Amino acid sequence: MRQQNVRTLSLVVCTFTYLLIGAAVFDALESDTETERLRIIETVRQELLGRYNISGSEYKLIETVIIENQPHKAGPQWKFAGALYFVTVVVAMIGYGHSTPETVGGKAFCIVYAVVGIPLGMVMFQSIGERLNKFTSVIIKKMKKMLGCTTTEATDVNQLCVTGTLSSIVMTAGAAVFSHYENWNYIDAFYYCFITLTTIGFGDFVALQKENALTTKPGYVALSLVFILFGLTVVAASINLLVLRFMTMNTDEVKAGDYEMQD
Amino acid sequence: MRQQNVRTLSLVVCTFTYLLIGAAVFDALESDTETERLRIIETVRQELLGRYNISGSEYKLIETVIIENQPHKAGPQWKFAGALYFVTVVVAMIGYGHSTPETVGGKAFCIVYAVVGIPLGMVMFQSIGERLNKFTSVIIKKMKKMLGCTTTEATDVNQLCVTGTLSSIVMTAGAAVFSHYENWNYIDAFYYCFITLTTIGFGDFVALQKENALTTKPGYVALSLVFILFGLTVVAASINLLVLRFMTMNTDEVKAGDYEMQD
Ligand SMILES: [K+]
Ligand SMILES: [K+]
């Protein structure tokens, strides 16, 4: 079997094993809390049904109305500042889902917008990330020269350390800022920053959703957008190093493979 | 100014312009529907307060309980099948947020898990995507030979057409499947597939959340996971072509820049 096929296959096996292990751990960590929560839901539902004499079907209706309107509870999301927050979250592929298009036109435009915006955003983040890597490599070389090292090359490992450290600083500093503005505890704020900058974007914690922040605190809106864009750049620089290096390595081998096939 | 700096700067300007335009369009598309919804919320709230004689603070409590417990409404999410769905959604960076860790241990493990899992997943998707591109290029060459073309090279544009078409097929076919299983209209189902395979993952539509599908329909669970993993591979193949080509082009120039600096 060709070398790249073997590598791809081992990656698939690794990833699936990793997924199975992860599923087992989360099952162990979260299942008990969840069972407890399901019990609470039932208790509360029964109590409400009894106390206010609500029928089962009416409770379902109330539940639906409250959940459907949840995104709107935090105040208007589609005035300009909110819409800007939304498109940033789309182009960066974070997708909190704190507010999503309700109209058919909005959904269709969202698809068209993302088809162009995502490649544009990816290329931009990678481009800035690559510039950042260039900049750190120059700094590393100068530092090594100053320290009188025998080799003044900036290796991949050197650079990965620098951008990795920078990513951690952005996350820990960001966590402090958001825990202050959003009244989250530090762990939750760090979790928010991590989930945002890895572009997972669960949406269980979303900045700018309290006290009409989108309309009343323009400074904080700007700060949040800058955090997302700058943070993603730094993380993109790390990922640029980690993954791109692997991918181009792979591409080189493919070219070698091409010659093999032509022989 | 150096050529790469100019390019990076123009990308930044392009992206910001694109974000501003997008924000204006979404504002125009969604703001009216939203105002209407906010009015409905208020009407419903007033009606409930009146009909059941609920106090304002008690309504808030009910609202909080219902919203907090929303992820648990769809049945257990953390038994093995659900946990596997969750970790797949994390590693692929989709992050629907339909269920998220509630315990501190779960959140901490989620961070550690993602730090390893995301690069692993990215490398795997890119690796399979690259193999797929290789495969399509061989097919294209054979087709061109059969058709008696003067040049039998598979160009980037040829390949991008093929993987682009393949992506569209996966999405339209996936939309049909999910619209059947989830009782969504076709547009919503297509929107779900698109938002999933671009890894935006809003979570406004999430498969496997009806009728305890996670525990009662193992076949459908497997189908959904395969759709996500296979779909992402095809999309990764397209992105691999689109972005990687740009990035390596950029890297080559950086190398040229290095020599400049050493002169
Ligand atoms: K996401
Ligand atoms: K998401």
Side-chain angles (χ1 to χ4, degrees), chain A residues 76-125:
Chain A
Q77 299 287 336
W78 293 106
K79 295 284 156 223
F80 193 76
L84 188 63
Y85 189 40
F86 174 79
V87 290
T88 306
V89 160
V90 168
V91 165
M93 297 186 294
I94 296 170
Y96 291 130
H98 65 290
S99 84
T100 48
E102 302 277 351
T103 64
V104 176
K107 283 174 191 168
F109 181 71
C110 186
I111 291 175
V112 175
Y113 190 78
V115 164
V116 178
I118 289 175
L120 181 64
M122 280 180 105
V123 170
M124 183 196 72
F125 285 122

Side-chain angles (χ1 to χ4, degrees), chain A residues 93-94 199-200, chain B residues 93-94 199-200:
Chain A
M93 297 186 294
I94 296 170
T199 76
I200 295 173
Chain B
M93 298 186 293
I94 296 171
T199 75
I200 295 174

Side-chain angles (χ1 to χ4, degrees), chain B residues 22-42:
Chain B
V25 174
F26 275 111
D27 186 345
L29 283 172
E30 294 286 336
S31 267
D32 290 349
T33 315
E34 175 172 50
T35 313
E36 180 61 21
R37 282 221 154 209
L38 284 170
R39 211 183 47 73
I40 295 174
I41 283 190
E42 200 38 45

